[in-house]
């Protein structure tokens, strides 16, 4: 079947403010995120793309804007099923505050049992995203053949859940996966199994270098990781 390139949106204003954005309107790319988006056409220059599919949220649409400008022939589709997790009452709140919520332990250690108040469960989030990928795989292959490549621009938790599905991992293990802003993950689906060719590839290993905890309001991914927790929503990546 077709090859899927998953792009996480570039770094957003919510990422650097340490907020769990969810579906909060008006969350845009910050300056660094805009730079990441501007570099995306060059990173994908050698890859023929049959189509692009995006989350409806602003930060994803802004991430793809330079790529679409460089490839005016590339058709863009919007699919709400790859939109961010519906975090409900947690949306827009500081991650530092949410870390004290009893539910956070479930989100970290038993996400298949986690449901956000006023929002959706993480199982439902993964299910809709996997359904979207399967539908688009079939659609692209039928139209463009089994060697076709297409792109989806989505969000950290969505991409992590798709990678877990591709690797045959239980959702309870998906917090072990990390994808930086504007990172590229590539999965080729076949009739018998998927193959993961790239995972969170930014071409930059700066995120592996330990750095001091950032002062507020900028959130440090390392603070969460040092405590053994994953950054809900995906984190801000390397500076």
């Amino acid at each position: 079947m077709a090859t899927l390139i998953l792009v996480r949106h570039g770094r957003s204003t919510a990422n650097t403010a340490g907020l769990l954005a969810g579906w909060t309107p008006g969350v845009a790319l910050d300056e660094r995120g805009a730079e990441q988006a501007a570099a995306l056409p060059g990173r994908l220059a050698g890859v023929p793309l049959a189509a692009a599919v995006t989350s409806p949220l602003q930060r994803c649409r802004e991430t793809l804007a330079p790529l679409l400008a460089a490839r005016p022939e590339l058709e863009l589709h919007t699919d709400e099923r790859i939109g961010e997790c519906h975090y409900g009452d947690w949306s827009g709140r500081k991650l530092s505050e949410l870390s004290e919520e009893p539910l956070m332990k479930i989100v970290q250690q038993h996400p298949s049992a986690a449901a956000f108040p006023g929002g959706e469960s993480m199982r439902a989030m993964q299910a809709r995203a996997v359904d979207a990928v399967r539908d688009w795989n079939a659609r692209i292959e039928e139209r463009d053949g089994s060697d076709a490549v297409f792109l989806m621009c989505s969000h950290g938790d969505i991409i992590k859940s798709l990678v877990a599905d591709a690797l045959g991992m239980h959702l309870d293990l998906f917090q072990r996966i990390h994808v930086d802003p504007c990172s590229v993950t590539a999965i080729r689906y076949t009739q018998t199994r998927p193959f993961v060719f790239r995972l969170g590839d930014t071409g930059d290993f700066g995120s592996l270098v330990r750095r001091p905890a950032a002062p507020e309001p900028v959130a440090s991914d390392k603070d969460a990781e040092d405590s053994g927790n994953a950054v809900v929503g995906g984190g801000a990546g390397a500076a």
Side-chain angles (χ1 to χ4, degrees), residues 200-215:
D201 188 347
T202 63
D204 173 16
F205 291 91
S207 61
L208 300 181
V209 178
R210 297 187 63 81
R211 60 192 186 278

Side-chain angles (χ1 to χ4, degrees), residues 7 37-38 40-42 44-45 49 52 63-72 74 151:
V7 177
L40 190 60
L44 297 176
L49 295 173
T63 298
L64 289 188
L67 180 65
L68 295 170
R71 302 194 192 194
L74 183 62
L151 179 149

